[in-house]
Amino acid sequence: MGQIVDSNKQAFLQALLDRMSVEDKAGQLNFLTGSMDVTGMKRSDHLEQRIREGRCCAVLNVYSPAATRALQQFALASPLQIPLAFGYDVIHGHRTIFPIPLGMACSWNLDLIGDCARAAATEAAADGLHWVFSPMVDISQDSRWGRVAEGAGEDPWLASKIAAAMVRGYQGENLTDAASVAACVKHIALYGASQSGRDYHTVDMSRREMEETYFPPYQAAIDAGARTAMAAFNVVDGVPATGNAWLLTDMLRHRWKFRGLLVSDFNAIAEMLLHGTAADNAEAAKQALAAGIDMDMMSDAYLTEIPGLLDKDEISMPKLDDAVLRVLEFKWDLGLFDDPYARCDEARAKAVHLCSAHRGLARQAARESIVLLKNDGALLPLARQGAIAVIGPLADNRRDLLGCWHAAGNDDSAVSALAALSAAAGNARIIFAPGCGIDTGDRQQLDEAERAAEQA
């Protein structure tokens, strides 16, 4: 693409926009997925071909210098040579895995949380990524909600402080830095307030509750400079957030002064049909664009429907151009037009992934995230003598230690609780009994666990 860092940003982007057909513009709003990980129920067919044709602006679930470089080469061979952005759900670490966000919140150590986000950014960027879908700052007051682990819990003050710390950690001083990634604050808004804790269920609350409890962490992340935001799946005042102009334009852009890129969640534009607010994909695309969604993740509604909507004057060219310019500006700010391969660095990836500094940071974070409620009879620390019973099916499990949404974390690099205790036990004898399976169990296993406890 050539060195253009000193060029006038707006002039360059406007000139590029002027060269684009309607189909090219729709392509720059179309976000597809690769197959290195699974996020939703759909996958993108013919990904390479669509990238070559300029019908894809960004790719989810592809990482590593080799894989991202290969797809970037296809993008740079497309007619307009517009580079791709690569995004991934880096929630609590990339290769080095830190405690889940709910655990990290227990540390109350904002500097530590920011340092962990910075380490995750460094590893993700070295793996060819530009964009992480974090922090998730949804307040959750119902522990039954399946995504509680991704946020900071129920307190808006603490969640706001953590949101800002994570944004600053991910993005660093300058997004063009090849060790920085763009943060994406999510999910705008109220996603953690689903009734009965059931994901995707109805959200219905007063404006006062929104303002006092749920909105502050989103606004804190935006005030900290979050470069992107993601709309929620749920309804707000009966209207899906994905097509809610009051939420995404009046509140997010006008009141909170958000100037960044706004992306839908996975297939959320098409899911507006299930909410009953859109009859077909054309109507859903029209509502989402009007509400303020710039980039369509995985529904293809913008790609297929925008040309027809323009022909029928159901959307305006200025509205479309605004969305496209925000996508192009996002790529500029990441330095992609200057060096689209800056983050495809095998040597840097090898140097930073699971490096000793990051492992040490993860150990510190784990230590500070532990909450000890009571130490009866000074039982802890455990004596390195006698017998210690280790009971439970997860004791000899490495994968579950990584927690949910563990990105590119590999359990080959984890140490099970049983192995760690055995290594640290000194002269103590370790007696292990699973007691049951994760979702199975029998009397014999329970008896073995009781005997282990009696001997310890």
Side-chain angles (χ1 to χ4, degrees):
M1 299 298 292
Q3 296 293 318
I4 57 169
V5 230
D6 298 324
S7 302
N8 182 282
K9 173 181 176 178
Q10 296 307 322
F12 172 83
L13 296 180
Q14 186 62 51
L16 179 56
L17 183 72
D18 291 343
R19 293 166 52 204
M20 297 172 73
S21 67
V22 170
E23 289 74 20
D24 292 330
K25 293 175 182 179
Q28 280 305 301
L29 307 183
N30 196 38
F31 187 8
L32 301 177
T33 185
S35 56
M36 292 180 71
D37 208 338
V38 178
T39 300
M41 300 298 290
K42 294 177 63 177
R43 56 169 293 169
S44 299
D45 295 323
H46 312 297
L47 179 61
E48 294 178 6
Q49 178 183 340
R50 298 173 81 179
I51 292 171
R52 287 178 185 273
E53 294 171 351
R55 303 297 180 254
C56 173
C57 67
V59 176
L60 174 69
N61 293 334
V62 171
Y63 56 89
S64 81
T68 54
R69 179 179 290 273
L71 292 185
Q72 195 69 276
Q73 288 172 341
F74 293 135
L76 297 179
S78 66
L80 290 174
Q81 302 176 25
I82 299 174
L84 295 168
F86 291 92
Y88 194 38
D89 283 292
V90 175
I91 308 300
H92 54 108
H94 179 59
R95 297 284 189 173
T96 302
I97 301 302
F98 301 97
I100 61 172
L102 188 64
M104 290 283 283
C106 296
S107 74
W108 287 76
N109 188 334
L110 299 176
D111 290 337
L112 175 63
I113 290 169
D115 289 345
C116 290
R118 188 67 202 150
T122 303
E123 292 193 1
D127 236 0
L129 295 168
H130 309 101
W131 191 12
V132 297
F133 300 109
S134 177
M136 192 209 86
V137 302
D138 299 311
I139 293 294
S140 51
Q141 297 183 331
D142 190 330
S143 59
R144 294 173 296 181
W145 187 47
R147 299 186 69 168
V148 166
E150 296 173 59
E154 63 184 1
D155 181 72
W157 185 88
L158 179 59
S160 296
K161 295 296 184 182
I162 290 174
M166 292 185 72
V167 167
R168 289 191 292 264
Y170 286 135
Q171 298 188 167
E173 296 295 323
N174 190 334
L175 272 184
T176 61
D177 181 353
S180 291
V181 292
C184 184
V185 56
K186 63 185 190 183
H187 308 80
I188 311 285
L190 317 180
Y191 190 39
S194 57
Q195 290 180 1
S196 307
R198 299 182 65 185
D199 204 20
Y200 281 52
H201 202 355
T202 302
V203 172
D204 189 14
M205 71 173 62
S206 69
R207 282 291 301 276
R208 179 171 181 172
E209 182 74 352
M210 292 182 197
E211 297 281 359
E212 291 185 353
T213 304
Y214 286 84
F215 283 169
Y218 305 122
Q219 189 170 3
I222 290 158
D223 290 345
R227 188 59 182 76
T228 71
M230 180 183 291
F233 282 117
N234 53 276
V235 299
V236 177
D237 278 346
V239 179
T242 307
N244 196 310
W246 169 78
L247 178 67
L248 303 182
T249 297
D250 298 346
M251 184 66 64
L252 179 62
R253 292 208 183 274
H254 294 165
R255 182 173 156 191
W256 295 347
K257 309 300 182 187
F258 177 65
R259 299 288 179 262
L261 174 71
L262 183 56
V263 62
S264 79
D265 209 331
F266 197 100
N267 199 42
I269 293 180
E271 288 182 9
M272 291 170 66
L273 278 65
L274 303 177
H275 284 290
T277 58
D280 51 32
N281 276 354
E283 180 63 25
K286 175 184 173 181
Q287 291 178 14
L289 189 66
I293 296 287
D294 300 314
M295 190 183 287
D296 171 12
M297 186 193 295
M298 281 304 294
S299 82
D300 276 343
Y302 278 5
L303 184 72
T304 59
E305 305 299 340
I306 277 176
L309 290 169
L310 275 171
D311 288 343
K312 298 173 185 175
D313 292 326
E314 295 192 25
I315 61 172
S316 69
M317 187 64 80
K319 185 72 174 178
L320 173 61
D321 285 351
D322 284 347
V324 175
L325 278 171
R326 279 191 284 267
V327 173
L328 297 177
E329 185 176 25
F330 174 58
K331 294 181 177 183
W332 172 287
D333 291 347
L334 285 164
L336 285 168
F337 287 108
D338 181 44
D339 184 359
Y341 301 115
R343 291 169 175 83
C344 303
D345 191 328
E346 296 275 5
R348 190 166 73 248
K350 186 176 181 180
V352 301
H353 288 166
L354 286 164
C355 65
S356 60
H358 293 175
R359 283 176 175 267
L361 191 62
R363 180 178 290 272
Q364 180 188 354
R367 185 181 295 116
E368 295 196 26
S369 297
I370 293 170
V371 178
L372 178 62
L373 299 181
K374 197 172 185 181
N375 190 10
D376 270 348
L379 176 66
L380 299 178
L382 294 172
R384 298 173 187 261
Q385 58 189 9
I388 299 171
V390 181
I391 297 172
L394 294 180
D396 198 21
N397 178 295
R398 294 185 301 181
R399 185 181 186 279
D400 287 279
L401 282 179
L402 301 180
C404 59
W405 287 104
H406 53 252
N410 190 326
D411 60 10
D412 288 344
S413 304
V415 178
S416 73
L418 179 62
L421 281 166
S422 299
N427 294 323
R429 180 168 61 97
I430 300 295
I431 308 169
F432 171 56
C436 63
I438 299 299
D439 52 6
T440 60
D442 57 43
R443 186 67 235 184
Q444 180 181 349
Q445 289 177 307
L446 186 58
D447 289 342
E448 289 172 355
E450 290 176 350
R451 285 194 294 271
E454 288 168 355
Q455 296 175 56

